[in-house]
Amino acid sequence: MRNCLLLITSLAFFLSSCSISKVAREKRNLLSGTWTLEDVSYENQSGNFKSIIFNDAEDICFEGSNWFFRDNNSTGRYTIAPSSLCKEGDRYIRWSVIDNPENYSSQLQFKFITEKNKDISGKGYRLNISTLTASEMVLKSNATVDGEVINVVYKFNKKS
């Protein structure tokens, strides 16, 4: 009986340590759905920039792209529209929301997967969640330009 109680207590502790926080769960629910990336801009620096985002395409290609987040299995995709500068099509992702205890904020992290939800080896990405409401999302990531850190700002509007 004592061993059984110890096992149940250990299992409960293990399961609670693996669960996501209430804040992260709320943000996952808000993220679920389809978003349009309206604008990519740069903070803390003046001038014109041209960058490759997520090791995929130029920043201009992402403006107007549609992002879909499915929260029941943590998969999604973003779709880049066709143009003369951009390779069009869907890019599939596995995503999650994590709490960043260092600065008490949350981050969206994702990595690329195949259309059949198989992981693609390679690097993942983390974006700081600056604003997240039922209709608007602002994500930020750091980049280095000429030795100085700037913020890349992604502004989204929710479609559905």
Side-chain angles (χ1 to χ4, degrees), residues 97-155:
V97 174
I98 59 168
D99 290 327
N100 185 348
E102 294 174 12
N103 60 7
Y104 304 104
S105 68
S106 297
Q107 295 177 318
L108 169 67
Q109 71 176 4
F110 72 90
K111 70 177 285 184
F112 292 104
I113 59 174
T114 68
E115 187 174 357
K116 303 223 185 257
N117 299 336
K118 302 289 182 196
D119 287 338
I120 297 173
S121 63
K123 146 182 189 176
Y125 301 92
R126 281 192 181 181
L127 305 168
N128 295 317
I129 300 174
S130 178
T131 303
L132 180 57
T133 68
S135 61
E136 178 184 31
M137 175 170 56
V138 177
L139 305 175
K140 295 182 179 183
S141 64
N142 294 331
T144 305
V145 176
D146 295 331
E148 292 188 39
V149 176
I150 63 167
N151 287 322
V152 183
V153 180
Y154 309 88
K155 294 181 182 175

